[in-house]
Amino acid sequence: MQTEIPPTAGLALIWQDFIHHKNLRLGDEIAKLLQIPTPAETCSGTVAFILSLEVLYELKPNKNQIIVPAWTCPLVILAIEKIGLIPKICDLNINALTLDPLSLQQLINDSTLAIVITHYGGLVNSFQNCEILAREYDCFLIEDSAQAMGAFNKNQSVGLRGDIGFFSLAFGKGLTSAEGGLAFSKHPEIHLRIHQKASQLPTINKWEIQRCIELWGYYFFYRPQFLSYFYGQQLRKNLQKNDEISAVGDNFSLDDIPIHSLGKWRSKVAAKASIRLTDYWNFLREQAETRIKQLQLISYLYVFEAQENTHATFPFLIILVDHPMRCQKILDDLWQSGLGITKLFVRAIPEYPNLTHLNYKTPNAQDFASRCFTITNTHWLSNEIFQHILQTLKKHESF
Ligand SMILES: *Cc1c(COP(=O)(O)O)cnc(C)c1O
């Protein structure tokens, strides 16, 4: 069986993670680690986002529109629709992960409840003029930090600059509890309301048992010798059918959002594992910085780096190629190689078959999606294999 390097730097579990003190709580550990108010725990990042939206909608019930980037996880859109709010899809700037100010200006109005700012790939994203707009239109800022736990802007964790921040604990996002989410707010009243909502989440045994088994599975099988069974084979099968959306797992529907609590046992396992996060993030940052320098020597590509005064965690490297054809050729060579190369979101939001009712033109995000791929930053990607990837990428300089 082929070895399979995971596409993101998930934090592997060790047996000690399963032995814990009875008072250990994930929220408390993360609060200490990141210097944030103790976050509320939920069954997923998506549900952390849903509870956040519900709280904000209670505070401003005359506003029901949420502005979201056109390149993001489809679950974010489904979450908004699931609770009857209206997603407004904002294009990105050309060649960038930031919101296009023109598009934003056109979408924002007195019905705007919140703008979502997404921190991609462990990088702190720019707020640009969002704070000024939010003040002008009396709306909130939500920081989608699903991919960016541990990212800091100056000395402040992501999620503290906006009104609400949330993290994901899904497989592959870093720290995991086999699906899970955390939400918090710097405003005591909003924070309290998020906690109240989280405490009302039902326990659903069917889901909890399944997730506990998955967490054990993660402990045993999250390693290159087994990952082909649980990830690679499925990826390759879908790519061979030309189904890129299923290949990266972007094929979500409304039924994919169960709403329940995060079980105590899973929370404790993640809490114990979180003790290793600081060292892990430091390792990832150093590895990423060295590798980004090498990638930058390739003329046709751009690698997203940490902005000045920010601290990124780099679960993977986000790479933008100059031409969609060149990107396709690179992926033809490397996507099925088991070396941790993939795409993040394969389409712009309005291009997903189940989201076509969102009739938006977002050419920049569409273009970005067609030219973007990612390289894993897991410690399992050795220097030797990274050099092999570099050589392959250099080969594509002439095409
Ligand atoms: C994964 C992800 C989410 C959803 O988190 P889940 O824990 O999978 O529900 C939301 N936003 C972004 C940007 C993500 O990458």
Side-chain angles (χ1 to χ4, degrees):
M1 178 53 63
Q2 172 177 5
T3 62
E4 184 83 37
I5 297 169
T8 64
L11 181 75
L13 295 178
I14 55 178
W15 65 265
Q16 289 91 335
D17 295 336
F18 293 92
I19 296 166
H20 17 71
H21 194 268
K22 72 178 193 311
N23 293 328
L24 197 64
R25 289 283 178 283
L26 176 61
D28 296 335
E29 294 303 309
I30 298 301
K32 267 189 280 175
L33 189 63
L34 303 179
Q35 297 295 304
I36 58 172
T38 303
E41 303 176 11
T42 65
C43 64
S44 66
T46 305
V47 170
F49 179 55
I50 287 180
L51 299 190
S52 305
L53 292 174
E54 285 176 343
V55 166
L56 298 183
Y57 188 48
E58 277 171 16
L59 294 173
K60 296 193 197 291
N62 55 334
K63 293 170 177 273
N64 65 352
Q65 301 181 0
I66 313 295
I67 297 178
V68 284
W71 191 67
T72 189
C73 179
L75 281 170
V76 171
I77 313 300
L78 295 171
I80 296 168
E81 294 188 330
K82 184 163 177 114
I83 56 170
L85 299 177
I86 300 170
K88 305 282 267 185
I89 313 299
C90 186
D91 205 0
L92 303 181
N93 278 310
I94 295 174
N95 293 334
L97 293 165
T98 45
L99 296 175
D100 169 36
L102 262 174
S103 177
L104 186 57
Q105 192 69 55
Q106 281 165 6
L107 295 174
I108 198 163
N109 60 52
D110 291 332
S111 297
T112 305
L113 178 62
I115 305 170
V116 176
I117 291 162
T118 304
H119 302 295
Y120 303 93
L123 296 158
V124 179
N125 206 351
S126 164
F127 276 57
Q128 303 179 104
N129 63 341
C130 285
E131 279 144 329
I132 297 169
L133 281 175
R135 231 170 288 136
E136 190 179 333
Y137 288 89
D138 190 29
C139 67
F140 296 102
L141 296 177
I142 300 178
E143 293 183 64
D144 178 344
S145 312
Q147 302 177 4
M149 183 192 286
F152 275 73
N153 187 8
K154 303 204 179 79
N155 288 319
Q156 178 177 279
S157 165
V158 288
L160 287 176
R161 185 166 165 188
D163 299 292
I164 294 183
F166 72 90
F167 298 123
S168 165
L169 304 168
F171 289 135
K173 304 265 175 158
L175 179 67
T176 193
S177 55
E179 297 288 342
L182 298 170
F184 59 99
S185 170
K186 65 183 175 190
H187 309 297
E189 155 147 25
I190 294 178
H191 190 70
L192 182 66
R193 283 175 182 251
I194 294 173
H195 270 275
Q196 281 165 349
K197 291 220 173 279
S199 68
Q200 288 159 10
L201 289 169
T203 301
I204 301 181
N205 286 333
K206 176 194 110 171
W207 279 113
E208 199 48 45
I209 291 165
Q210 181 175 332
R211 296 296 183 229
C212 287
I213 294 168
E214 286 168 359
L215 196 57
W216 275 111
Y218 182 80
Y219 165 65
F220 285 112
F221 300 120
Y222 187 70
R223 17 189 132 222
Q225 50 289 30
F226 300 119
L227 216 59
S228 192
Y229 291 105
F230 299 93
Y231 165 76
Q233 284 183 355
Q234 204 56 29
L235 172 86
R236 282 179 279 277
K237 210 169 85 194
N238 282 308
L239 286 177
Q240 278 148 24
K241 287 190 295 191
N242 279 320
D243 185 354
E244 297 186 345
I245 294 174
S246 303
V248 303
D250 273 354
N251 51 338
F252 299 106
S253 76
L254 279 179
D255 303 332
D256 293 322
I257 312 182
I259 297 184
H260 57 96
S261 61
L262 176 67
K264 287 216 168 63
W265 181 76
R266 289 192 291 138
S267 164
K268 282 181 196 180
V269 174
K272 191 78 184 286
S274 76
I275 296 165
R276 297 191 301 283
L277 279 173
T278 305
D279 285 346
Y280 197 53
W281 288 329
N282 286 335
F283 165 82
L284 294 181
R285 185 173 313 113
E286 274 173 38
Q287 175 166 276
E289 281 166 4
T290 318
R291 292 181 175 180
I292 287 172
K293 284 203 192 86
Q294 299 181 53
L295 286 162
Q296 280 167 335
L297 299 174
I298 300 173
S299 56
Y300 65 77
L301 60 76
Y302 178 81
V303 195
F304 285 87
E305 290 183 90
Q307 299 296 306
E308 215 176 319
N309 292 323
T310 71
H311 224 59
T313 54
F314 294 110
F316 47 84
L317 305 179
I318 304 178
I319 296 176
L320 189 64
V321 176
D322 62 348
H323 198 284
M325 279 296 288
R326 201 194 310 253
C327 187
Q328 194 52 57
K329 291 212 162 104
I330 291 167
L331 288 169
D332 287 346
D333 266 9
L334 291 172
W335 207 348
Q336 301 188 37
S337 65
L339 302 182
I341 303 226
T342 188
K343 280 177 93 78
L344 184 46
F345 310 119
V346 291
R347 299 278 184 273
I349 286 297
E351 296 178 282
Y352 286 103
N354 58 346
L355 295 175
T356 48
H357 58 281
L358 298 165
N359 200 3
Y360 285 85
K361 295 250 171 320
T362 57
N364 296 343
Q366 193 170 342
D367 173 51
F368 192 98
S370 73
R371 292 191 285 123
C372 179
F373 74 94
T374 58
I375 303 179
T376 185
N377 193 35
T378 170
H379 66 281
W380 279 307
L381 188 72
S382 65
N383 285 331
E384 197 185 338
I385 303 173
F386 182 71
Q387 289 310 318
H388 166 77
I389 292 170
L390 262 186
Q391 291 315 317
T392 309
L393 294 177
K394 281 187 183 145
K395 214 180 67 197
H396 284 273
E397 278 188 311
S398 53
F399 95 108

